[in-house]
């Protein structure tokens, strides 16, 4: 049953486009039902980078720009994670933490009923409570990743039994159903820094931010669905002892307007010349950047496949990244005609929607995975950062994707393993299960009645549990 009285909802995502876009997609779905959305970004540049709000939704969505304060050690004008090397993201978080005063001033002048906020701004909950605005952590990670991390108290104080990187390579003791979802050793080693406070800056750990954001809340919203990970959602509900409301996987349902873009015209012309279902799309999203050694092996693996490919290649994370990666010598000459490489932004959903594209090789970034399944494209997985290793294990377990084999200790892989994985998923009979299962998930993702049902369920909860304004 739809809500009668309309809500005013503030949305406050972290400064990463892998967070901003799932927030914006949910904002549009709620605005389409007549609710007022204040979409706040702590950066004018990020707001200006967003796709234009559709005309029918524009009256309901207010894009709020809050200028970022200056912090030493950040490149000039850096306003998102894509513009800084990994080792400088901690300074972005410090800058984000300085927004407590301006976001408080904005909320004081608003008429907000709820604020849906990212884990990074864990400090916003007491501010919202003082202003009698309901607080809801909106989590854009999978339920499997959140379930693997564990209860909030464990994240804040440590769980007492996972003390070595090897301890994260097995199923946690609180997961009581059969699953192989866990971290590889190299992923655990990479994530270890997220469990420690940075001594240089005093920046609190990632685990602390996640735990504190979940410490006191009435409910948590999460980008997930029962069809995709029902067991993990039930685990979270039991673990948090509070309502966990999935908002759906948020497929891209808008009609793209990129046909007149010059780059898209060139890309489409090349794709149109390829055989139906023959092209491998290689894209690692906005966050992941391969090392030089990984880039070389990936490139030479693509060469070994003999298949046509389109590669959206990330050479560096912002202009301050002093270690840009390069293609192997002679690679472009040897693959000319059957390979196309772009080092700038590409219209990913348009490419995935093209009939010549058969599969996506990517880092298991959540949004890209959802987009690939939405368009029925098989998945070849090479996880790089953050939650991507858990997502890859989950997809592999569900036979929705195939992970390129790697060295468990350091994450290394070979050109031969790349070629064999691509050929298995795209061509071999053994890989048919991945191609078929992704088509089944496509049917679920494209069921907008299901997606709207998730949003209605969220809105009904928000309506029934807001503070009285009397």
């Amino acid at each position: 049953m739809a809500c009668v009285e309309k809500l005013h909802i503030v949305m406050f995502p972290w400064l990463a486009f892998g967070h901003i876009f799932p927030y914006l997609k949910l904002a549009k779905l709620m605005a389409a039902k007549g609710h007022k959305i204040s979409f706040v970004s702590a950066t004018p540049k990020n707001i200006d980078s967003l796709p234009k709000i559709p005309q029918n939704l524009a009256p309901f969505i207010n894009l709020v720009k809050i200028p970022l304060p200056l912090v030493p050690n950040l490149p000039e004008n850096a306003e998102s994670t894509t513009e800084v090397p990994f080792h400088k993201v901690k300074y972005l978080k410090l800058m984000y933490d300085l927004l407590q005063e301006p976001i408080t001033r904005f909320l004081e002048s608003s008429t907000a009923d709820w604020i849906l906020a990212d884990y990074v701004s864990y400090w916003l909950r007491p501010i919202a409570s003082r202003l009698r605005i309901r607080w809801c952590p909106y989590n854009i990670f999978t339920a499997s990743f959140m379930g693997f991390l564990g209860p909030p108290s464990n994240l804040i104080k440590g769980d007492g039994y996972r003390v070595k990187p090897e301890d994260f390579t097995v199923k946690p003791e609180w997961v009581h159903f059969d699953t192989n979802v866990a971290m590889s050793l190299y992923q655990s080693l990479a994530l270890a820094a997220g469990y420690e406070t940075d001594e240089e800056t005093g920046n609190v750990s990632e685990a602390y931010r996640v735990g504190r954001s979940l410490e006191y809340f009435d409910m948590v919203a999460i980008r997930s669905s029962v069809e995709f990970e029902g067991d993990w959602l039930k685990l979270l509900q039991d673990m948090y002892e509070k309502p966990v409301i999935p908002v759906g996987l948020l497929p891209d349902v808008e009609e793209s307007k990129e046909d007149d873009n010059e780059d898209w015209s060139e890309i489409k012309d090349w794709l149109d010349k390829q055989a139906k279902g023959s092209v491998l799309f290689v894209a690692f999203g906005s966050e992941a950047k391969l090392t030089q050694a990984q880039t070389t092996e990936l490139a030479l693996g693509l060469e070994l496949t003999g298949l046509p490919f389109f590669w959206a290649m990330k050479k560096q994370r912002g202009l301050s990244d002093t270690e840009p990666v390069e293609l192997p010598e002679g690679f472009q000459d040897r693959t000319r005609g059957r390979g196309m490489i772009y080092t700038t932004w590409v219209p990913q959903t348009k490419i995935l929607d093209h009939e010549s594209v058969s599969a996506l090789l990517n880092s298991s970034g959540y949004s890209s995975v959802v987009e690939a399944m939405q368009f029925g494209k098989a998945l070849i997985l090479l996880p790089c950062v953050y939650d991507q290793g858990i997502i890859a294990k989950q997809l592999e377990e569900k036979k929705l994707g195939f992970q390129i084999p790697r060295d468990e200790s350091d994450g290394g892989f070979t050109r031969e393993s790349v070629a064999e994985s691509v050929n298995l998923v795209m061509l071999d009979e053994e890989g048919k299960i991945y191609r078929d299962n992704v088509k089944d998930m496509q049917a679920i993702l494209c069921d907008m009645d299901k997606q709207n049902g998730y949003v209605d369920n969220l809105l009904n909860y928000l309506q029934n549990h807001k503070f009285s304004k009397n």
Side-chain angles (χ1 to χ4, degrees):
M1 182 176 173
C3 303
V4 176
E5 187 178 347
K6 301 307 179 185
L7 297 162
H8 178 190
I9 301 166
V10 174
M11 304 190 77
F12 189 47
W14 163 235
L15 305 176
F17 284 103
H19 292 238
I20 292 170
F21 284 121
Y23 267 70
L24 186 61
K25 286 181 179 182
L26 180 58
K28 290 177 180 177
L29 289 169
M30 294 191 294
K33 298 175 185 293
H35 299 279
K36 178 183 176 182
I37 309 296
S38 292
F39 194 88
V40 182
S41 183
T43 151
K45 191 196 299 185
N46 288 348
I47 287 285
D48 292 339
S49 298
L50 297 177
K52 187 176 181 181
I53 302 296
Q55 189 172 357
N56 65 312
L57 301 181
F60 302 99
I61 299 179
N62 179 29
L63 299 176
V64 181
K65 302 177 182 180
I66 298 183
L68 286 166
L70 295 176
V71 170
N73 300 310
L74 271 179
E76 187 178 359
N77 298 321
E79 297 186 1
S80 71
T81 54
T82 61
E83 297 174 304
V84 297
F86 283 118
H87 69 279
K88 290 198 171 185
V89 171
K90 61 187 177 183
Y91 299 112
L92 266 183
K93 288 192 168 73
L94 288 174
M95 184 164 60
Y96 199 71
D97 290 343
L98 294 175
L99 293 169
Q100 296 180 48
E101 184 178 334
I103 192 72
T104 299
R105 288 199 301 269
F106 168 75
L107 291 173
E108 286 173 340
S109 65
S110 78
T111 57
D113 298 298
W114 281 86
I115 178 163
L116 272 59
D118 227 322
Y119 78 96
V120 183
S121 57
Y122 68 94
W123 37 261
L124 196 48
R125 182 200 56 78
I127 295 171
S129 179
R130 178 172 61 82
L131 297 174
R132 290 188 59 76
I133 301 171
R134 289 287 190 192
W135 152 272
C136 169
Y138 170 30
N139 208 304
I140 57 85
F141 299 114
T142 60
S144 62
F145 182 68
M146 296 305 298
F148 184 83
L149 290 182
S153 59
N154 292 24
L155 291 164
I156 296 169
K157 303 173 185 176
D159 57 34
Y161 93 98
R162 292 197 299 191
V163 295
K164 312 185 299 294
E166 290 80 5
D167 297 335
F168 290 81
T169 64
V170 295
K171 183 178 78 169
E173 60 184 15
W174 51 79
V175 178
H176 302 301
F177 51 87
D178 290 336
T179 180
N180 295 319
V181 172
M183 291 182 182
S184 297
L185 181 58
Y186 70 90
Q187 293 160 354
S188 177
L189 289 166
L191 206 64
Y195 278 74
E196 299 173 359
T197 296
D198 185 88
E199 294 183 3
E200 175 200 353
T201 63
N203 190 12
V204 299
S205 70
E206 288 290 277
Y208 182 84
R209 287 180 188 272
V210 174
R212 284 295 305 276
S213 73
L214 296 168
E215 195 174 19
Y216 303 104
F217 63 93
D218 296 308
M219 53 81 71
V220 59
I222 186 166
R223 184 188 187 182
S224 186
S225 74
V226 173
E227 297 82 7
F228 183 57
E229 48 180 357
D231 286 344
W232 289 99
L233 284 167
K234 184 178 185 306
L235 172 71
L236 290 185
Q237 182 107 1
D238 295 342
M239 184 186 296
Y240 298 158
E241 298 181 328
K242 292 285 179 68
V244 175
I245 300 182
V247 303
L249 296 183
L250 305 177
D252 196 337
V253 297
E254 289 180 19
E255 191 69 32
S256 179
K257 305 297 183 185
E258 292 153 350
D259 296 80
D260 296 330
N261 178 279
E262 186 176 332
D263 287 340
W264 170 239
S265 296
E266 181 183 24
I267 294 168
K268 183 177 184 300
D269 182 62
W270 184 84
L271 290 171
D272 287 345
K273 294 173 182 175
Q274 311 306 314
K276 182 178 179 179
S278 67
V279 175
L280 173 67
F281 181 25
V282 183
F284 284 80
S286 59
E287 295 296 316
K289 176 200 163 190
L290 300 178
T291 66
Q292 183 58 61
Q294 291 171 333
T295 301
T296 297
E297 290 303 308
L298 175 59
L300 297 178
L302 296 178
E303 185 176 348
L304 283 176
T305 67
L307 295 170
F309 63 87
F310 183 97
W311 187 355
M313 180 184 173
K314 191 177 187 69
K315 298 187 72 170
Q316 60 189 131
R317 283 175 62 100
L319 297 177
S320 64
D321 185 348
T322 58
E323 299 180 355
V325 295
E326 302 294 341
L327 292 166
E329 186 176 353
F331 171 76
Q332 286 182 281
D333 290 333
R334 295 192 300 272
T335 59
R336 196 174 305 282
R338 73 172 178 90
M340 192 175 197
I341 299 170
Y342 261 64
T343 57
T344 55
W345 178 88
V346 300
Q348 180 161 299
T349 55
K350 298 288 288 185
I351 295 170
L352 285 169
D353 194 28
H354 198 280
E355 66 175 9
S356 71
V357 174
S358 171
L360 173 67
L361 192 165
N362 89 324
S363 60
S364 313
Y366 197 6
S367 289
S368 291
V369 163
V370 170
E371 289 171 358
M373 293 191 299
Q374 176 188 350
F375 293 106
K377 309 304 181 184
L379 284 158
I380 302 143
L381 308 169
L382 194 66
C384 294
V385 294
Y386 309 131
D387 58 333
Q388 294 173 356
I390 293 293
I391 294 173
K393 282 284 184 71
Q394 182 181 12
L395 293 168
E396 192 170 48
E397 184 172 270
K398 297 169 79 69
K399 298 293 183 185
L400 286 166
F402 182 84
Q403 274 202 78
I404 294 173
R406 303 172 76 167
D407 185 304
E408 284 292 304
S409 62
D410 64 10
F413 58 90
T414 66
R415 63 201 70 175
E416 290 81 11
S417 65
V418 171
E420 290 166 6
S421 301
V422 169
N423 287 329
L424 182 148
V425 172
M426 289 183 64
L427 303 175
D428 296 352
E429 182 63 26
E430 186 183 346
K432 186 174 184 295
I433 189 170
Y434 301 103
R435 302 191 292 270
D436 289 348
N437 284 353
V438 122
K439 297 288 186 186
D440 292 340
M441 186 56 69
Q442 179 186 20
I444 294 170
L445 274 169
C446 293
D447 185 339
M448 287 312 296
D449 287 338
K450 284 185 183 295
Q451 176 60 73
N452 281 318
Y454 282 118
V455 176
D456 284 339
N457 188 44
L458 170 67
L459 289 169
N460 284 335
Y461 185 95
L462 299 182
Q463 181 63 54
N464 292 329
H465 293 82
K466 67 177 184 174
F467 280 123
S468 170
K469 296 298 183 182
N470 296 331

